[in-house]
Amino acid sequence: MKKTLAWLMAVLVTVGNLWGCSSNNGKASQATTATLESSSSESETAALSENLSEGEEKEWFGTENGETVTLHFWGGVQPEYGYDEMVRNFNEEYKDKGIQVEYHRYVSDSTGNLQLETYLMGGSEVDVFIGYGVAYMKKRVESNLLYNMADKLKEYQFDLGEELGKETVKAYTFEDGGIYGFPTKYENQRWLMVNVDMFEKAGIPVPYDGWNYDEFLTAIEKLTYGEGQDKVYGMFWAMKQGFRMHKSLFGSPLGKYIVYKNDQGTEVNYDDPVYAEGLEVLKKSMDQGWAFSIEDEYSENLTVANTFLEGKCAVSMNISQMRLVMDQETYPHDFVTALVPGPVAMEYDTDEYRYHSNNLGTGDQICIAANTPYPDAAFEFVMWYTKKGMVSLAKGGRFPLWKGFDQDSCVAELMNNANGTIDEQSLRNYVSIDKSKGITELTLYASAEIETVYKEEEEAMCYGRQSVEEALENICIRSNKLIADEIAAGK
C-alpha cells in the first residue's frame, strides 16, 4: 500500500511539474486558458425552479444555487488556431445559461497523454477533451476513464450514424452499446500539399484531379534541383512525423483490407501488389535524390515547417499541417499551396480510386471525463462544439465532420483567414469529397504490434539494408506469426 501511494504521489508531482511547463515545439504540455467572466443572475436562479416540459430547450446548466460552472476542455492544438475564438463564442452564447469553458492545450505524445490520463483519474482538472486515435480511446474505456454518452445522444436525438456516417460510427461503438467518444473532424491524409508556384515555374500542371505513380515520379524529378544546403527536393514523405500516412496511401485501393486479408484477421494483406508498387515509388524517390532521405529526416528532425514551408520541397505529405500554411506570422512564405490527391498505381487511375474517397478520414474524438461533476453541462458543450463550434476551427484547416455544416461557409471562413496562401479550387475539391464512401479498416489481431513491424521493416528498406521484396516478405512472416500467437493464446 505504501509503495502504491508513493508511486501515485510521484506521478502527481511529475504531472504538476509538466503542467507548469509550456512549449511551442511539442516537447512539453502547454496549458492555455481563454475565458470570459462567469456570471450568475436572478433570472438564472429563477430558471432553476422552472420545470421544463418535454421538448423544451434547457436554459440553465449551472448549479442548483445559481452559480455558473466552468468546464476544463483539453485539446492538442495551439489555441490560436481557432480554439481561442471558439471559446469566446461559446462563453458569450452561454454566459446566461450557467456554463463557461476554459481551453487547455496538451501535446498528444506519450508524456502529454500520461498527463491527461492522470488528471482523468483524479477527476478534477478535465471535463471534456479531444483525443487522437481510437487506440487511446479504447484503452481509456477499459480503464473506466470516459463517460458513456449513449443515453445523452438519444436524449438530444443525435443519431451518430445519421449525423456523422454509419461507417464512421462503427469504430466508436462498444460491445456494451456504450458510446464514449466520437470524431468531429474530417481529414483525408492520403491527400498532399503542393507548392503551386514551383509547379508553374517547372511547367507542370497542378494535379487537381489526381495523378498516377509515373506522373508523380516524373513531376518530383523535374521539381528537384540544386546541391547541398541549397538543394530543393520534389518530395517530403514525412516519415518521422507519420509513417501511417503513406502506408494508408499505398494501401488505399484495398478499402477495409489495408492490413488484413480477410474478415477474420487470420493473415495480413501486405503481399498485395499495391504495397510493392507503393514502396518502389518511395524507395526510388529517395534513392534518386528526389525526396529527402530517411537519414536526413531523422538526423535533422525534418518537419513540414522546416521543409515545405521554407521552400525546400515542392510536395509534402501531412495535410494536417495546413493550419501552419496559413500562419504567416510564424511561418512567413510567399507561395500558394494547393491540396491534391496522393498518387495511385496505374491500374487504379480511375475516378473510383483517384480521390481516395474510401478513406474515413475522421479524427479529433471528443470525449467526456467519467469523473466530471458536470455531465449535463459537458454534454451540452459537446453538442455545441460538434454542431457550431467547429466553424471557428475551419479557418485553421480542421473541417467539421457533421453533415449539417455549410461547407461553403467553412471554405469562406478558411479562405478569409488564409490571406492568399491556399488555392481555392483545390480546397473546394477537398471539401467536396463524398464522405459517405468512407470504409472502416479492420482492426483485429495484434494490430499495434503489426504496425510496429511494418515500420521497422520499411525503415530498414529505406536505409538500404534490404529490398522492397525482402521488406514485404519479412512484414508478412513476422505479422502472421504475431496473429497466430494471439489466436493460440485465445486473445
Side-chain angles (χ1 to χ4, degrees), residues 373-394:
Y374 313 117
D376 290 348
F379 191 78
E380 176 70 13
F381 172 71
V382 165
M383 284 290 94
W384 180 90
Y385 178 91
T386 304
K387 292 182 176 181
K388 298 174 69 174
M390 290 198 68
V391 169
S392 304
L393 309 184

Side-chain angles (χ1 to χ4, degrees), residues 425-460:
Q425 177 185 340
S426 72
L427 178 62
R428 291 193 178 278
N429 287 349
Y430 180 70
V431 301
S432 297
I433 296 172
D434 185 355
K435 302 175 184 63
S436 68
K437 294 181 178 180
I439 298 172
T440 304
E441 297 177 20
L442 295 173
T443 305
L444 299 164
Y445 295 109
S447 58
E449 293 83 355
I450 289 171
E451 192 167 88
T452 299
V453 165
Y454 184 99
K455 185 173 187 291
E456 290 173 352
E457 297 296 341
E458 183 190 65
E459 287 183 351

Side-chain angles (χ1 to χ4, degrees), residues 475-491:
I475 290 171
C476 290
I477 291 172
R478 293 177 62 190
S479 298
N480 289 336
K481 184 178 186 306
L482 287 168
I483 292 172
D485 289 346
E486 276 211 1
I487 293 174
K491 294 183 179 180

Side-chain angles (χ1 to χ4, degrees), residues 195 198 223-225 228-236 289-292 300 302-316 333 335:
N195 183 319
M198 287 187 181
L223 291 162
T224 301
Y225 62 90
Q229 295 297 316
D230 297 325
K231 183 173 180 177
V232 174
Y233 293 84
M235 181 66 187
F236 174 58
W290 306 333
F292 291 96
E300 299 180 25
L302 298 183
T303 65
V304 170
N306 61 23
T307 57
F308 183 73
L309 292 180
E310 291 187 6
K312 295 179 180 179
C313 66
V315 185
S316 175
H333 57 281
F335 61 84

Side-chain angles (χ1 to χ4, degrees), residues 140 151 208 318 421 448:
R140 290 160 184 162
D151 289 341
Y208 289 107
N318 206 353
T421 58

Side-chain angles (χ1 to χ4, degrees), residues 406-420:
D406 178 2
Q407 297 291 1
D408 286 337
S409 67
C410 288
V411 170
E413 188 81 14
L414 187 145
M415 290 304 299
N416 183 57
N417 186 59
N419 294 318

Side-chain angles (χ1 to χ4, degrees), residues 134 137 160-173 179 181-186 358-363 365 401-402 435-441:
V134 177
M137 191 179 76
L160 290 184
E162 292 298 323
E163 305 292 347
L164 305 180
K166 289 182 171 57
E167 283 287 327
T168 298
V169 180
K170 285 183 179 179
Y172 300 91
T173 304
I179 297 174
F182 57 84
T184 57
K185 176 195 72 170
Y186 179 80
N358 66 348
N359 182 30
L360 274 183
T362 60
Q365 297 92 17
L401 181 62
W402 182 51
K435 302 175 184 63
S436 68
K437 294 181 178 180
I439 298 172
T440 304
E441 297 177 20

